[in-house]
Amino acid sequence: RICVITLAEAHPLLQSGKTIKNINYQISANCSRLQNKVSGKSKRTCLFIFQMQGAQFLTELAPLCRISSSDGEEYTIYSCIRGRLIEVNENILSNPALLQEKPSTEGYIAVVLPKFEESKSITQGLLTQKEYEEVLLQRRSSAS
C-alpha cells in the first residue's frame, strides 16, 4: 500500500544521456521536503498500520523536488498521488547518479503512503507495464 516515487523509464533524464547537476527538495521559501519528520508507531495485525505525526500531506500535483541537469534544464517531479510523505531519499543528494543508474531501486525519490480508503482507487487507476509501453509507443509514433 505504500508508493515509491521514481523516475519513469521514458523521463528525459533517463533517455537523453543528460548529467544530473543538482537535486533540490526545497519547494518554496517555506516548504522543504527535507523538513518532513515522521514519528509514530506501527502496529502489527494482518497489516501494518501507521500512526504518523508530522508527515507532510501531498496532493497529486504537489512538487516533491526539482532536478537540474548540466545543460540547464530543470525538471519538477510531482507526487502524482494523494497521501502522506513518509520519506525522501537523501542519498540522491550526495550521489545524484543513482537516479539514472538505479532509478527503480536505490535512486528512488520519495515514499508516499496514501490514505487507506483511497489506496484501492489509486492502484486501480495505474497503468500496467504493458499499458505503459503502449502509451510510449503511441507517443513515439505521433512525434514522428
Side-chain angles (χ1 to χ4, degrees), residues 12-28:
L13 283 167
L14 299 182
Q15 296 299 311
S16 60
K18 294 185 178 200
T19 303
I20 296 174
K21 184 175 119 183
N22 182 34
I23 300 162
N24 191 351
Y25 283 110
Q26 185 75 38
I27 302 308
S28 68

Side-chain angles (χ1 to χ4, degrees), residues 46-62:
C46 291
L47 304 168
F48 283 102
I49 301 170
F50 293 90
Q51 298 171 339
M52 297 176 297
Q53 297 175 342
Q56 295 175 12
F57 184 78
L58 304 171
T59 64
E60 298 93 327
L61 300 175

Side-chain angles (χ1 to χ4, degrees), residues 78-137:
Y78 296 92
S79 171
C80 300
I81 59 167
R82 289 170 37 92
R84 298 270 178 197
L85 180 61
I86 302 301
E87 172 184 334
V88 295
N89 185 1
E90 294 184 38
N91 294 330
I92 61 175
L93 295 173
S94 58
N95 188 1
L98 285 173
L99 276 172
Q100 295 166 311
E101 294 167 2
K102 299 180 180 184
S104 58
T105 57
E106 295 170 50
Y108 72 95
I109 295 166
V111 178
V112 178
L113 181 67
K115 286 184 179 179
F116 182 75
E117 316 80 61
E118 295 178 8
S119 60
K120 188 172 184 176
S121 64
I122 289 170
T123 54
Q124 287 175 339
L126 297 175
L127 298 176
T128 64
Q129 183 67 29
K130 184 178 179 181
E131 291 169 333
Y132 174 69
E133 289 167 1
E134 288 171 2
V135 167
L136 292 179
L137 280 173

